[in-house]
Amino acid sequence: MKLMIVDDSNIMRRRIERSQQFEELELVGTAGNGVEAIELFKRTDPDVVTMDLTMPRMDGIECISLLVALKPEVRILVVSALADKATAVEAMEKGANGFLNKPFTDRQLNEAIAELMR
Amino acid sequence: MLLSGTDRRRQLITAGVGTVLTLVMGLVLFVGFRIATEMRANIAALQTASTLQTYPDDITRQLASLRDRLEARAYSGQALEDLRGTVRRFDRQLKELNATGYVHSQELTRALQLWQEYGPVIEPVVSFNGQPYVDSDTAGSTLSRDGRTHYAEVKRAQLFATDNSRTLQVQLATLATSLQRDASGAAARLRTLLSIGVLAALVLAAAAVWFQFTRARHERAAREAQDQTRDILMTVREGFFLLDAEYRIGSVWSDALTHMFGRKDFAGLTFEELLKNLVPASTLATATKYIKLLWGERAHENLMKSINPLGQLEITMDNGHGGKETRYLQFDFHRVMGPAGIKQVLCAVGDITSSVLLARELQESQDNANAQLDMMLAMMHVDPLQLVSFLDGAETGLKLVNTILKEPARTDAEFRKKLSGLFRELHSIKGEASALSLSSIASRVHTLEDIVSELKKKAELSGNDFLPMVLKLDELLAHLRSVREMAGRLTALKEGAHAAPAAALAAVPAPAPVQPAAARAPQQFARRAEDLVPTLHALAERLAQDQGKRFKLKLAGLGDVPAHYVGTVKDCLIQMLRNSAVHGIESPEIRQALTKQDVGVVSVAFQKAADGFELVFEDDGAGIAPDTLKAAAVRRQLVSEDEAAAMDTRTAMALIFRPGFSTQDGISMDAGRGVGMDVVARSVYALGGKIGVSTHPGRYTRFKISLPAGAASSAVA
């Protein structure tokens, strides 16, 4: 399965990349905003996406809508520090499969990805 | 109750066995009916065949009789009639036997064939209807011509019958035997069938009994399960209910729900109706969307718990005693899956009030610990005397706040006057605490200020509105006491640190008498005179802003204040500065009207004097009128009217140093507490100094404090 990481924080992108322990997940690329994410998605056709919500140019919610429109079976895990639950629920309504709060431990991340791939 | 797989299989087997046995019973009855019908036909045929066996002999015998009668010229009519009847019956019954269709034996066929052969010879006989005799007198009765023909036919028929009757009889006997065998066979089959039927009936009855027993057992188990479910729902502390696709609550829920929501009408209630008066509309809308996500296939249940908008819900309910209470509820949602997908959503509601309050207490405890640490660190940078002075002032101020709170008030105006007094006093304490970087005190006072601010916004005020302040005030006073205690420990710590090297150097081995640490602290540590300047400027700025006054503070020589006088000098200056800002300096409008400079001047000068030090404090304000002081002293019952009248100007001016004196009837933040100049005077006297005041109404007020050159003998109170 192919993995794409979307987060405007370079540190967070590297953190997710290093922490995930699934051999069957091949990282096809990372994006720092929604626009980059869409371009990368079209090029690499990932199966699993971790998605930040608050990002420049295009936020996560809009990006999720577009990704799901492009590939309905894509699995999206929102990884965000957002405190506003209404926005988090909106992200799920747009098609995200799950939500992981920042900050998170490696174990929490891997359990969430495992649940996502189930 | 849910049926297990084994139970379901057992029911299916029971139903299958019952169906098969019923079908077997039906088949047995049907076949039995067929066999019985066949048997009845066989028996009828057998009876007929048995009867028919006698007819050939009867016919032969009757033909012989007829012949005999014809030969004897006797009356033959009856014999012919008997023969005719026998032949007709035999013919009819034989044909009927054939017509039933039940008999298809060769014997019957042969019998029929043989009987057909009888026909040509016997038919002329039985169809004879002429007169066989001719009577004459001579010959008597003789055969007539027809009679002779008839006689010949009878004779021929008799011969034929004699030759064939035995054969016909054997055929009919064989037929009867065959029919009897068939009947016996049918009877045996019927017996077997009935046995099978009885057996099937027994098995069916046994199956019915077993089924009934099983059903009773299952019903009992179901009742027990229902009882257990009811017990669980009555006992469990969580509220459980199911939501259908239209977000309606099902017909079963746990009793805890009743206590949590104070209602019992849950069946059919929508989730929105359950919560609409308990949570904000926006939260409810988000919660509804959240539940909708659970009905969808896309969202992973385990990956959306962290965004549950009802994870910690604060609700206010009637406590059943006429009051209100706040509870914290936690809603948890789980999909209930069926063979066709999501059937329902299980909602579990937990009362987490204790956990939330405990977490808060822990947090508060942590905050307190942090605050104490901050306070310790802050106190290490504050002059102990200054700190003690602040604590005294703050405690006095808070006691005043308490007094204001206790003052009777009825009208809204009175309540608002209270609020104004409280706000100014609190704001003053907060400002001083902030100036000393005592953030834990400042933040607590700020909380009180917030309460006052909120009350100010209320349209109508009542005494109950002030109750929360009393609690917070007690907390603050307790905190001040702990700060004071900490200050004492800190001072002792510092003293210990300083005393150790001193003891090592001391030539006298005997230790010095131990004094209370707090009492010795002011003499042990150097004070920072340079801190006075910014503190006083900040205070002046605040006072000017609060009082709507404009004045300039001129400070001179404060850098020369000896360390052991810094605290006292500061306390004195703070108090005198307050007095000037409130009583002395006039408002700009008044100053203009009096043709004075818009901006007043407060000057402070510290300098060495011949026998020590001199601190001069002066403002160019309104001055003090002796008569005003006398009137205030009388109002406060510090002196009688007579005494006041007898006072000269010097004695009258000395009134301001008496405890409890204030010219301000109303309460204000910076004056009017009755704890002003008396504290200053006591501080000065304690150091062995003197204080004097001179004034000129409309022009100035000047305080002169003289302090001895040597160290003070005791700490300032």
Side-chain angles (χ1 to χ4, degrees), chain B residues 280-421:
Chain B
S282 57
T283 306
L284 186 55
T286 307
T288 309
K289 287 177 186 174
Y290 180 83
I291 298 169
K292 194 176 174 185
L293 286 172
L294 284 168
W295 280 97
E297 300 285 343
R298 195 166 173 86
H300 287 240
E301 186 181 323
N302 291 337
L303 291 179
M304 50 190 289
K305 291 194 183 302
S306 62
I307 61 169
N308 178 2
L310 301 178
Q312 184 180 312
L313 184 66
E314 181 181 335
I315 61 170
T316 305
M317 311 267 311
D318 292 333
N319 63 3
H321 307 291
K324 297 277 183 187
E325 66 177 338
T326 300
R327 285 186 190 162
Y328 296 89
L329 301 182
Q330 182 179 51
F331 285 69
D332 207 0
F333 302 94
H334 305 274
R335 286 174 175 143
V336 179
M337 304 301 291
I342 300 161
K343 261 172 70 183
Q344 282 164 323
V345 168
L346 171 68
C347 182
V349 191
D351 189 335
I352 55 167
T353 307
S354 303
S355 306
V356 171
L357 295 181
L358 184 62
R360 280 195 185 167
E361 278 181 25
L362 285 172
Q363 185 62 44
E364 278 177 16
S365 176
Q366 181 71 37
D367 290 346
N368 280 339
N370 291 338
Q372 282 192 340
L373 188 63
D374 291 345
M375 178 63 74
M376 288 282 273
L377 293 170
M379 281 160 57
M380 290 174 80
H381 296 94
V382 178
D383 182 275
L385 184 63
Q386 209 174 343
L387 181 61
V388 171
S389 172
F390 163 75
L391 291 172
D392 287 343
E395 277 186 14
T396 308
L398 291 178
K399 282 171 186 166
L400 180 67
V401 167
N402 206 16
T403 309
I404 296 173
L405 284 172
K406 287 176 183 171
E407 276 175 3
R410 287 180 187 165
T411 64
D412 191 62
E414 285 171 335
F415 283 124
R416 299 211 175 270
K417 190 178 172 189
K418 263 191 176 194
L419 284 179
S420 299

Side-chain angles (χ1 to χ4, degrees), chain B residues 355-583:
Chain B
S355 306
V356 171
L357 295 181
L358 184 62
R360 280 195 185 167
E361 278 181 25
L362 285 172
Q363 185 62 44
E364 278 177 16
S365 176
Q366 181 71 37
D367 290 346
N368 280 339
N370 291 338
Q372 282 192 340
L373 188 63
D374 291 345
M375 178 63 74
M376 288 282 273
L377 293 170
M379 281 160 57
M380 290 174 80
H381 296 94
V382 178
D383 182 275
L385 184 63
Q386 209 174 343
L387 181 61
V388 171
S389 172
F390 163 75
L391 291 172
D392 287 343
E395 277 186 14
T396 308
L398 291 178
K399 282 171 186 166
L400 180 67
V401 167
N402 206 16
T403 309
I404 296 173
L405 284 172
K406 287 176 183 171
E407 276 175 3
R410 287 180 187 165
T411 64
D412 191 62
E414 285 171 335
F415 283 124
R416 299 211 175 270
K417 190 178 172 189
K418 263 191 176 194
L419 284 179
S420 299
L422 289 169
F423 189 79
R424 282 195 295 272
E425 198 60 41
L426 291 168
H427 193 68
S428 168
I429 297 169
K430 187 179 87 172
E432 290 177 15
S434 300
L436 294 172
S437 301
L438 301 172
S439 56
S440 72
I441 297 175
S443 67
R444 281 172 166 78
V445 183
H446 186 75
T447 307
L448 279 163
E449 264 189 359
D450 283 347
I451 296 175
V452 175
S453 299
E454 286 300 315
L455 290 181
K456 278 183 173 176
K457 292 176 192 166
K458 286 192 75 170
E460 283 187 22
L461 290 167
S462 72
N464 288 337
D465 294 330
F466 291 79
L467 288 178
M469 287 199 72
V470 177
L471 295 173
K472 290 285 176 192
L473 193 62
D474 283 345
E475 282 179 21
L476 181 53
L477 284 166
H479 183 64
L480 288 182
R481 283 194 291 276
S482 71
V483 170
R484 190 184 288 279
E485 189 185 327
M486 253 195 297
R489 288 181 187 177
L490 192 60
T491 306
L493 193 66
K494 284 180 178 176
E495 183 187 46
H498 283 264
L505 293 170
V508 183
V514 177
Q515 287 182 300
R520 284 178 293 154
Q523 288 79 33
Q524 295 292 330
F525 305 105
R527 296 167 188 80
R528 296 169 52 181
E530 58 268 29
D531 286 348
L532 284 174
V533 176
T535 304
L536 291 172
H537 276 301
L539 181 63
E541 196 176 326
R542 179 175 74 73
L543 289 168
Q545 197 173 3
D546 288 350
Q547 298 296 325
K549 307 283 180 69
R550 294 179 64 194
F551 62 91
K552 191 156 67 173
L553 180 64
K554 293 181 178 176
L555 302 173
L558 289 181
D560 298 329
V561 178
H564 54 276
Y565 284 148
V566 169
T568 308
V569 166
K570 186 176 177 183
D571 288 347
C572 294
L573 289 176
I574 286 172
Q575 187 58 50
M576 289 187 290
L577 194 55
R578 280 179 180 157
N579 287 347
S580 291
V582 177
H583 306 293

Side-chain angles (χ1 to χ4, degrees), chain B residues 239-310:
Chain B
F240 287 111
F241 60 88
L242 291 165
L243 287 175
D244 63 14
E246 294 174 344
Y247 312 145
R248 285 190 183 279
I249 297 174
S251 55
V252 177
W253 58 84
S254 64
D255 275 16
L257 213 58
T258 307
H259 305 305
M260 285 175 182
F261 292 94
R263 62 192 301 171
K264 293 180 177 176
D265 55 335
F266 294 106
L269 199 69
T270 64
F271 193 67
E272 191 177 341
E273 287 167 342
L274 177 68
L275 293 180
K276 69 179 175 187
N277 293 327
L278 301 174
V279 300
S282 57
T283 306
L284 186 55
T286 307
T288 309
K289 287 177 186 174
Y290 180 83
I291 298 169
K292 194 176 174 185
L293 286 172
L294 284 168
W295 280 97
E297 300 285 343
R298 195 166 173 86
H300 287 240
E301 186 181 323
N302 291 337
L303 291 179
M304 50 190 289
K305 291 194 183 302
S306 62
I307 61 169
N308 178 2
L310 301 178

Side-chain angles (χ1 to χ4, degrees), chain B residues 667-679:
Chain B
I667 302 298
S668 76
M669 176 176 60
D670 298 300
R673 300 174 182 176
V675 289
M677 290 311 294
D678 60 324
V679 176

